[in-house]
Every structure is written in C-alpha cells, then in structure tokens.
Amino acid sequence: MRLPAPGALPPFAAGSNAVPVSYSEFAAACRDYPLVFVSTDEGKHFSPVAIVGMAGAENLFLKDGNWDPGVYLPAYVRRYPFCMAVVTLEGQPQADRLVCIEKEFVTEAADGQAMFDAEGKTTARWEPISRLLEEY
C-alpha cells in the first residue's frame, strides 16, 4: 500500500469551498481563512469550517494544483485519506480506535510513498500520520 507522492491533494480539496476545522486549529486557521459555523440539520448542530472559496466547488488556495504553501493547511486535508473511528462493543465505546482509509486514494504506483516495509512493519512515513490522527 502506498500513498501518492507528497503534495498530492485529495480529490475533494479542489472542488470544495469550505473545509472542516477543529477548535484546536482556530488560532492558526483564522490567520488565512474566514471561519464560520454551518448547520446541515436546520440549526440543531453547528460545525466550524474554513471558507476557501466564494462559489460552489471553488478553492482559491490552490496554486499549480497544490495547496498554497504560504497558508495554513487544515488538518482535515492533511489527515486524508485516513480517519479514526470509535469502536463500540456491546454498546460500550472502546479505548482503541480504528484507522479507516479512503481506498481510492491509495496507489500501487512505484512513485508513491510506502507505508509498510517488506516485513509488514510501518515505515517512517507512518509516524507523523499516526500522530496527526491521534491528535485530530
């Protein structure tokens, strides 16, 4: 299993005008983006997002197909194609989390970055991803 080369953006990044952000990112993200709270359930719950475009499917922070290196890159984009899921066993949330992966973003291409060596052990590339997932 390999990840695309560094700098490759997830498919949703170019076609989104807003990206979710967490509370811990507010200080860094607000320097580059307007932050707003949106609701998809008629105002019952709100989620913070960074606005990256003014029109639908517009991201003004892309340069030559990559995220502008001069601005903060939200963790939601950095952690892609991975996310963490809570494991529930007999109705009880467990301490261990499940790492999920967006299969379409993984590649077998030789120029991709290996996540595991020939013996199945994680490579150095996995360490920062693991840390980000735990913090996110």
Side-chain angles (χ1 to χ4, degrees), residues 15-16 27 37 52 66 75 78 84 99 111 116 123 125 130:
S16 298
F37 292 85
V52 297
N66 295 311
R78 284 184 282 134
M84 299 287 276
V99 176
D111 65 339
F116 303 95
T123 64
R125 176 65 173 113
S130 176

Side-chain angles (χ1 to χ4, degrees), residues 66-84:
N66 295 311
W67 206 278
D68 184 342
V71 298
Y72 177 75
L73 180 60
Y76 187 84
V77 178
R78 284 184 282 134
R79 60 97 190 148
Y80 195 84
F82 302 100
C83 69
M84 299 287 276

Side-chain angles (χ1 to χ4, degrees), residues 19-104:
V19 177
V21 291
S22 67
Y23 171 75
S24 62
E25 297 179 276
F26 282 11
C30 76
R31 294 178 189 140
D32 296 312
Y33 316 104
L35 303 181
V36 300
F37 292 85
V38 297
S39 176
T40 58
D41 60 4
E42 299 178 4
K44 293 177 185 167
H45 301 91
F46 289 87
S47 300
V49 297
I51 301 299
V52 297
M54 297 305 291
E58 175 185 60
N59 186 334
L60 299 172
F61 293 89
L62 298 181
K63 272 190 167 176
D64 302 321
N66 295 311
W67 206 278
D68 184 342
V71 298
Y72 177 75
L73 180 60
Y76 187 84
V77 178
R78 284 184 282 134
R79 60 97 190 148
Y80 195 84
F82 302 100
C83 69
M84 299 287 276
V86 174
V87 176
T88 303
L89 184 62
E90 298 177 3
Q92 297 298 315
Q94 303 297 301
D96 291 332
R97 300 289 186 254
L98 180 66
V99 176
C100 303
I101 186 166
E102 181 73 34
K103 186 177 176 182
E104 289 76 31

